[in-house]
Amino acid sequence: MYVNNNYVISNLHSVLDAEDEDEVLGKIYDRGVIKRLPRYLKLVRGWMLLGTAGLVVRTLASLALPYLVGVTIDNYIHSGDLPGLNIIIAIFLAASVLVWLGGYVEEKYLAYAGDKILLTLRTQLFDHLQRLSLSFYDRNKVGKMMSRIQNDVGQVQQLITGGILNIITSVLTLLGIIVVMVLMDARLALITLTVLPVLAIATAIWQRFARRGFIRVRRAIAAVNSQLQEGLSGVRVVQSLSREDLNLEQFDVLNRAHLDANIGATKLTSLTVPAVD
């Protein structure tokens, strides 16, 4: 059996580059999604509060550690103040314990919250899909819907429990560092912070390309899931028509395209850390 790989690749690229409903889901900001977040956050309010408290404790204690090192060197080691050194070391160890404890509470309860939200979203989606009309399933591939339920729901979960709180952590850390730097040497702090506009411009440029790259990844995995679902659900027909080799070649083309999309997204991601450094 033979399949025209160029034809399959051409069709796949048209899917990956198409301006369809996935482009809407690729928006940086979607008011509809943001409006729905509070109802899910309300379900895990207690766990979110505990996780956020752990996050704040970990962030503040982490900011204290380098400051304590500086105080130790300047005020106690240089002067040979051994009793004072013992006290500051005890404070340093206490701050280290707070970093560990805050991180433990943060990871534990945010994981609880994320799993609860994931369970709720998938249950609601499954219930909703069962109530849709048959004409809806005539227009949409099951594999693509499976990709939405599995992959996109997981992304929403990460946004709620990881993305938003990571932004809060980063902002708190940055503000704390700026305050400490200004208190230590305002002039040197201002000179150091001149790099922030450059960083903001670099981030904006990266975001423009990264958005396209990650949308291609989502579309590619949807195509793979769709081909996989069709091949397995219709395996009796496939075997009766001896289409195994043909289906394998088609799936291989889609799977390799998914690999290429992921490699492209990984290259874009790998640029961020060196650029920030």
Side-chain angles (χ1 to χ4, degrees):
M1 302 294 291
Y2 172 75
V3 60
N4 188 340
N5 284 348
N6 291 331
Y7 175 76
V8 176
I9 293 173
S10 177
N11 283 343
L12 174 64
H13 286 170
S14 67
V15 171
L16 297 183
D17 296 325
E19 295 290 333
D20 60 5
E21 74 276 7
D22 282 339
E23 189 68 26
V24 176
L25 294 176
K27 292 193 299 183
I28 296 174
Y29 175 78
D30 191 325
R31 181 178 297 178
V33 174
I34 300 301
K35 287 174 63 177
R36 292 179 174 88
L37 288 181
R39 75 175 67 171
Y40 295 104
L41 293 175
K42 188 177 180 180
L43 297 173
V44 293
R45 180 170 51 193
W47 288 338
M48 291 292 291
L49 289 175
L50 287 171
T52 304
L55 181 151
V56 173
V57 169
R58 178 181 63 81
T59 301
L60 295 178
S62 298
L63 289 173
L65 292 178
Y67 175 77
L68 290 173
V69 171
V71 171
T72 301
I73 295 174
D74 296 338
N75 299 340
Y76 297 100
I77 293 179
H78 285 173
S79 62
D81 184 357
L82 187 57
L85 182 61
N86 291 333
I87 295 175
I88 200 69
I89 288 177
I91 296 174
F92 184 89
L93 291 175
S96 300
V97 171
L98 285 177
V99 171
W100 172 82
L101 183 61
Y104 172 78
V105 172
E106 174 191 354
E107 292 290 336
K108 177 180 179 179
Y109 289 103
L110 290 184
Y112 287 168
D115 290 339
K116 174 64 176 179
I117 291 171
L118 190 63
L119 172 67
T120 304
L121 282 172
R122 283 182 175 161
T123 301
Q124 291 180 349
L125 277 172
F126 183 76
D127 180 64
H128 177 68
L129 288 172
Q130 290 187 104
R131 302 174 186 276
L132 294 174
S133 64
L134 294 178
S135 60
F136 173 84
Y137 291 97
D138 290 335
R139 298 191 307 269
N140 296 275
K141 294 183 177 180
V142 175
K144 187 173 183 180
M145 288 183 284
M146 289 173 58
S147 179
R148 291 281 177 84
I149 295 175
Q150 293 295 327
N151 301 320
D152 292 2
V153 168
Q155 294 298 320
V156 173
Q157 174 212 15
Q158 292 182 15
L159 168 66
I160 295 174
T161 61
I164 295 176
L165 292 178
N166 282 335
I167 292 174
I168 296 174
T169 303
S170 300
V171 171
L172 287 176
T173 303
L174 182 61
L175 291 176
I177 291 174
I178 291 174
V179 169
V180 173
M181 289 171 60
V182 170
L183 292 176
M184 295 178 66
D185 191 324
R187 182 180 178 185
L188 182 59
L190 292 175
I191 294 174
T192 304
L193 294 175
T194 55
V195 73
L196 289 182
V198 179
L199 180 60
I201 294 173
T203 302
I205 295 174
W206 173 85
Q207 188 180 64
R208 179 180 179 183
F209 292 98
R211 175 171 169 266
R212 296 175 183 174
F214 285 106
I215 288 176
R216 286 179 63 86
V217 171
R218 293 176 58 202
R219 290 174 176 166
I221 190 59
V224 169
N225 287 337
S226 179
Q227 181 73 15
L228 182 62
Q229 184 274 329
E230 291 176 2
L232 293 179
S233 62
V235 66
R236 291 181 175 84
V237 177
V238 171
Q239 292 180 353
S240 66
L241 298 177
S242 299
R243 284 180 51 95
E244 293 92 335
D245 293 337
L246 176 62
N247 281 21
L248 177 60
E249 289 187 42
Q250 291 177 337
F251 184 78
D252 184 63
V253 171
L254 295 172
N255 211 19
R256 289 183 182 276
H258 178 236
L259 173 63
D260 293 339
N262 272 286
I263 291 176
T266 301
K267 288 179 179 179
L268 290 171
T269 303
S270 64
L271 292 174
T272 56
V273 175
V276 171
D277 288 343

